[in-house]
Amino acid sequence: MARNTQSRSTRIKYKTPITLEDKRTGYQYSGTLHNYSESGLYFESAYAQRPGRKICITSNNLPFSNKSNGHLAKIIWRKLLGPQRSTQAFGIGAKFC
């Protein structure tokens, strides 16, 4: 799993589709959640916000909450993924706000 060794919280593997929204522009895009912890999450997407941007994450299948209005998170890092690694272009690490 990407950057697992740098995480301070225990990561829980969980794969599910998610919808992401840039809080500044309102731009929405899709991604796939791959793992989460108490402090943040790792997802993959064809689009990646710059580190520091705030996003809202929503899904019908988030195991860590039943919030219907989504979760606010801040992009911490992004990494370009190769085609052998994923069908998505980017791996993204975000911290819950």
Side-chain angles (χ1 to χ4, degrees):
M1 199 62 40
R3 308 230 178 165
N4 238 3
T5 58
Q6 294 181 0
S7 175
R8 293 184 183 145
S9 302
T10 301
R11 292 273 164 191
I12 299 166
K13 292 181 182 181
Y14 189 82
K15 192 171 180 179
T16 192
I18 55 175
T19 300
L20 304 118
E21 179 182 347
D22 182 306
K23 291 306 290 177
R24 187 175 64 95
T25 65
Y27 179 73
Q28 291 187 346
Y29 56 104
S30 62
T32 302
L33 174 70
H34 282 266
N35 69 53
Y36 66 94
S37 72
E38 181 180 290
S39 60
L41 65 155
Y42 170 77
F43 63 94
E44 294 179 358
S45 178
Y47 179 74
Q49 299 287 3
R50 290 186 178 107
R53 296 295 286 269
K54 290 188 179 175
I55 57 171
C56 183
I57 302 145
T58 57
S59 174
N60 292 332
N61 299 315
L62 293 177
F64 48 85
S65 175
N66 60 2
K67 288 174 111 177
S68 61
N69 60 342
H71 291 274
L72 190 61
K74 181 178 176 181
I75 302 295
I76 303 300
W77 58 267
R78 63 183 177 175
K79 179 180 179 181
L80 187 60
L81 302 174
Q84 298 84 7
R85 167 76 170 83
S86 176
T87 59
Q88 300 287 352
F90 294 95
I92 300 115
K95 183 176 182 179
F96 294 122
C97 295

